[in-house]
Amino acid sequence: MTPRPVPAAAARSGPSRRRDRDPEGRARNARPRDGLGRPLPYGQEGVERQPEGVVRTPDESLDEAQQLLDGGMPFHAHEVLEDAWKTAPEAEAPLWKGLAQLAVGITHLARGNTTGGARLLLRGTANIDPYRSDAPHGIDVAGLADWARTTADEANGPADTGSSGTGGSGTGGAETRGAAERPPAAPRLRAGTARPR
């Protein structure tokens, strides 16, 4: 009898490495993460993640996500908005998906990935734009879409003139990765909400 080959992923993880599970038995990566959601080595202290699968009202989702954005934790805000997307009525699901994509875009920008961040901001904008004329829950769709486009343009920089080899390519290379990792100023999810001081 010929032994069956071991899949590459199983070979890498080794016999003692089992998939992380939450208390209900669902697959959930328990690896610690930093404030921007990047995995840290097991055993290192990380930033606690948002609980997954929490059903919140739209107001609770927006308030919690705004607090996390204001606190410089866009990855965590994305987790809240993703829960809202998964539980939203069908007619609102693209809106919540777009809001989650905006938070992921901010996360990528803060990590130094300007190209990916800008793309996600524009994808999120495409999902929220159809709600511009009749936005539910006081969401400032017009303001968010304008903010996301401006932020994406700034992340990509000026058009590449070909003179320097780095201008405006938006590659997210070493010149941006060495910068202080801070998300851009948090956008206001709802009109009329003040920025924290």
Side-chain angles (χ1 to χ4, degrees), residues 1 37 52 70 73 80 109 125 159 162 182:
M1 191 150 117
E52 190 175 347
D70 291 343
M73 299 178 70
V80 170
L109 291 178
T125 299
R182 274 182 2 128

Side-chain angles (χ1 to χ4, degrees), residues 8-29:
R12 281 193 305 268
S13 63
S16 65
R17 183 80 189 117
R18 294 181 174 253
R19 191 167 188 187
D20 297 328
R21 302 243 174 228
D22 68 11
E24 287 80 37
R26 293 180 304 226
R28 177 152 166 92
N29 192 327

Side-chain angles (χ1 to χ4, degrees), residues 18-84:
R18 294 181 174 253
R19 191 167 188 187
D20 297 328
R21 302 243 174 228
D22 68 11
E24 287 80 37
R26 293 180 304 226
R28 177 152 166 92
N29 192 327
R31 192 169 171 183
R33 294 180 178 264
D34 71 7
L36 291 173
R38 291 173 293 210
L40 298 170
Y42 282 99
Q44 205 171 36
E45 190 170 334
V47 175
E48 188 173 340
R49 293 179 66 179
Q50 295 305 110
E52 190 175 347
V54 175
V55 178
R56 301 168 183 88
T57 67
D59 283 342
E60 290 169 338
S61 295
L62 292 166
D63 289 346
E64 190 171 340
Q66 188 69 65
Q67 288 175 353
L68 291 163
L69 289 170
D70 291 343
M73 299 178 70
F75 177 80
H76 296 76
H78 134 265
E79 292 183 313
V80 170
L81 294 166
E82 189 173 81
D83 279 344

Side-chain angles (χ1 to χ4, degrees), residues 152-170:
D153 287 347
E154 289 171 357
N156 284 325
D160 189 355
T161 61
S163 59
S164 69
T166 60
S169 65

